Amino acid sequence: DHGGKMHTKHISDKALAGRWSMSYKTLQRWREENRFLPYFKLGKSIRYSLEAIELFEAENITLPGTSSRKRKTHIPNRTQKWGLEWQSK
């Protein structure tokens, strides 16, 4: 028992890069530009909340019949609130 607290699952930047079939260097650049999801460092490892990733994916879905050229990918800055238990500061 963990005192009734919910535990958020997290994944590494390399796992996220694999999930999205992109270079983890792109994720690194987005972090450096403050253009991406909240994250935390555990030693040298970067971890993202799976809940935040799934929210990001849902907000950026392109439906059939819509033009992806007219729609920019929503890459939030780190000051936006995600409605999660923790916030990026």
Side-chain angles (χ1 to χ4, degrees):
D1 182 21
H2 297 284
K5 292 183 181 179
M6 284 183 49
H7 294 280
T8 303
K9 293 186 179 186
H10 295 87
I11 65 172
S12 70
D13 56 346
K14 291 181 182 174
L16 179 56
R19 178 181 177 122
W20 288 350
S21 301
M22 65 188 311
S23 167
Y24 81 94
K25 293 284 189 180
T26 299
L27 297 177
Q28 181 182 30
R29 187 180 73 246
W30 287 353
R31 281 194 310 274
E32 291 168 357
E33 295 171 355
N34 292 324
R35 295 180 49 204
F36 200 50
L37 300 169
Y39 66 93
F40 72 94
K41 289 182 85 170
L42 185 60
K44 292 184 179 185
S45 299
I46 300 294
R47 296 285 185 262
Y48 294 101
S49 160
L50 189 55
E51 183 179 4
I53 291 165
E54 290 171 348
L55 179 61
F56 177 84
E57 291 170 342
E59 288 177 348
N60 288 285
I61 196 165
T62 301
L63 299 173
T66 60
S67 173
S68 61
R69 282 183 267 150
K70 292 180 181 176
R71 190 177 166 280
K72 287 188 175 181
T73 300
H74 173 69
I75 301 175
N77 65 39
R78 290 174 54 204
T79 60
Q80 283 185 293
K81 293 183 180 177
W82 283 85
L84 304 173
E85 290 181 27
W86 52 274
Q87 301 288 326
S88 174
K89 298 206 186 236

